[in-house]
Amino acid sequence: MEKELLLHWMAESQMLEKANVRLNDAAIQVSEWFRKKGFRTCILKGLGNALMYPNPYSRTPGDIDIWVEGGDKRVISFVRSISPHEKACYHHIEFPSYKGVEVEVHYRPSFLLCFRHNRKLQKYYGMVKEEQFSHRVMLGEQGEIAIPTAEFNLIFQLTHIFSHLMNEGIGLRQLVDYYFVICDFYKVYQNSSNPSVSLSKGSSTFSPSPSSSGSGDVTALLGARNRYALRLADHQRSSPYCAGWDRLDAGLSIPNLKPYLHGSAKRKD
């Protein structure tokens, strides 16, 4: 490697670390501010994902997505009592930036465009929200926040990526994040004698099984996502040094989506 490139990467690494420290501080303070106002919170995506990385400070930081308990009407009313002109949509409302960090306040973690599937998704979120708001972790030595559990991330972040695919496009960071989400869930699965129950304390997250509630809707919602993760986990168990992406003998087929993403594919009946 050329010395100039090495020095450039070292500088970028230091900048990322400092940016992550600032983001952590901001998230802790925003969470604490909402708590004092009477709202429980859970930090979605970014900061929780960073904790799954080998070096949490190496992840490219973004904004703060904070899930605030209380429902859409109450949360929107509260935010607009502070900043009257903030724009709201189905699942979140904009919030004034905090120390230069953009903040999105969610009253729903994510959504699906299909009404029937979205109803199941929102029902699932309502059933497991208690675990999310009470699942607190330390951000190094900076402070404590609540982040989602492994099973919640498996569903929530997949729906978030799907929404980006349909509307905005997917970035490499989102794919790398979901790789670590699957790895985190695999730790839970690997340490459980029953795949439907999550008992791992070695994982960065912990959650009881949503299916234990007996809801058919939640079981159906979990089905496709968990089948994929568990099949990947089984493949990793037989090949521990392979993440599974470069092996098609595990029964996973990856279609060529390029023509469809560029709108050049012709419909075949």
Side-chain angles (χ1 to χ4, degrees):
M1 183 185 299
E2 295 180 359
K3 183 178 180 180
E4 184 179 350
L5 179 59
L6 176 61
L7 292 174
H8 175 72
W9 282 5
M10 290 173 64
E12 289 282 347
S13 177
Q14 291 295 317
M15 291 174 63
L16 280 177
E17 184 173 338
K18 292 179 180 179
N20 275 295
V21 170
R22 288 196 300 270
L23 187 68
N24 289 356
D25 284 335
I28 292 167
Q29 293 176 36
V30 169
S31 297
E32 182 64 15
W33 183 82
F34 272 104
R35 187 191 66 80
K36 290 179 179 178
K37 297 295 183 180
F39 295 89
R40 290 195 300 172
T41 62
C42 176
I43 301 295
L44 301 171
K45 297 181 294 187
L47 297 176
N49 287 343
L51 294 176
M52 304 176 198
Y53 280 60
N55 175 10
Y57 295 100
S58 66
R59 181 182 180 272
T60 304
D63 57 3
I64 296 174
D65 293 272
I66 185 168
W67 181 14
V68 179
E69 187 181 27
D72 51 2
K73 293 182 179 179
R74 184 185 174 202
V75 173
I76 290 173
S77 177
F78 173 73
V79 170
R80 286 183 173 164
S81 69
I82 299 168
S83 182
H85 303 294
E86 297 296 347
K87 296 180 180 179
C89 62
Y90 176 74
H91 65 302
H92 71 75
I93 183 170
E94 295 177 1
F95 194 77
S97 62
Y98 181 81
K99 294 186 176 180
V101 178
E102 292 186 7
V103 180
E104 279 187 359
V105 173
H106 289 248
Y107 25 86
R108 297 182 180 92
S110 66
F111 66 97
L112 293 171
L113 295 176
C114 173
F115 175 80
R116 182 168 61 90
H117 292 163
N118 185 60
R119 182 176 60 184
K120 292 180 181 179
L121 182 66
Q122 301 309 321
K123 183 177 180 180
Y124 168 73
Y125 287 155
M127 289 175 56
V128 301
K129 67 178 183 180
E130 183 63 34
E131 291 94 338
Q132 315 315 313
F133 291 118
S134 60
H135 181 238
R136 302 186 66 82
V137 299
M138 290 294 297
L139 288 180
E141 298 179 355
Q142 293 175 258
E144 190 180 62
I145 61 168
I147 64 170
T149 58
E151 288 179 356
F152 183 93
N153 269 330
L154 196 71
I155 295 173
F156 157 64
Q157 294 198 41
L158 191 60
T159 62
H160 177 72
I161 290 173
F162 179 74
S163 178
H164 268 267
L165 174 65
M166 295 294 103
N167 298 290
E168 305 171 44
I170 301 173
L172 179 61
R173 179 177 62 184
Q174 290 171 308
L175 297 180
V176 175
D177 279 355
Y178 201 69
Y179 164 77
F180 283 111
V181 167
I182 293 175
C183 289
D184 193 55
F185 181 79
Y186 172 52
K187 293 176 187 177
V188 175
Y189 170 75
Q190 195 177 33
N191 288 274
S192 173
S193 58
N194 181 354
S196 66
V197 182
S198 302
L199 298 173
S200 170
K201 295 183 179 179
S203 169
S204 64
T205 57
F206 166 80
S207 68
S209 170
S211 60
S212 62
S213 63
S215 167
D217 284 347
V218 175
T219 302
L221 179 66
L222 287 168
R225 279 81 169 177
N226 277 356
R227 280 197 299 273
Y228 172 78
L230 297 180
R231 188 159 45 167
L232 178 60
D234 284 333
H235 179 60
Q236 284 184 313
R237 178 173 294 177
S238 62
S239 180
Y241 299 106
C242 174
W245 301 108
D246 57 344
R247 295 283 191 89
L248 297 181
D249 58 349
L252 303 176
S253 60
I254 303 174
N256 180 14
L257 296 178
K258 189 174 181 180
Y260 296 91
L261 296 178
H262 290 282
S264 60
K266 295 182 180 179
R267 179 175 176 177
K268 294 182 180 180
D269 295 324

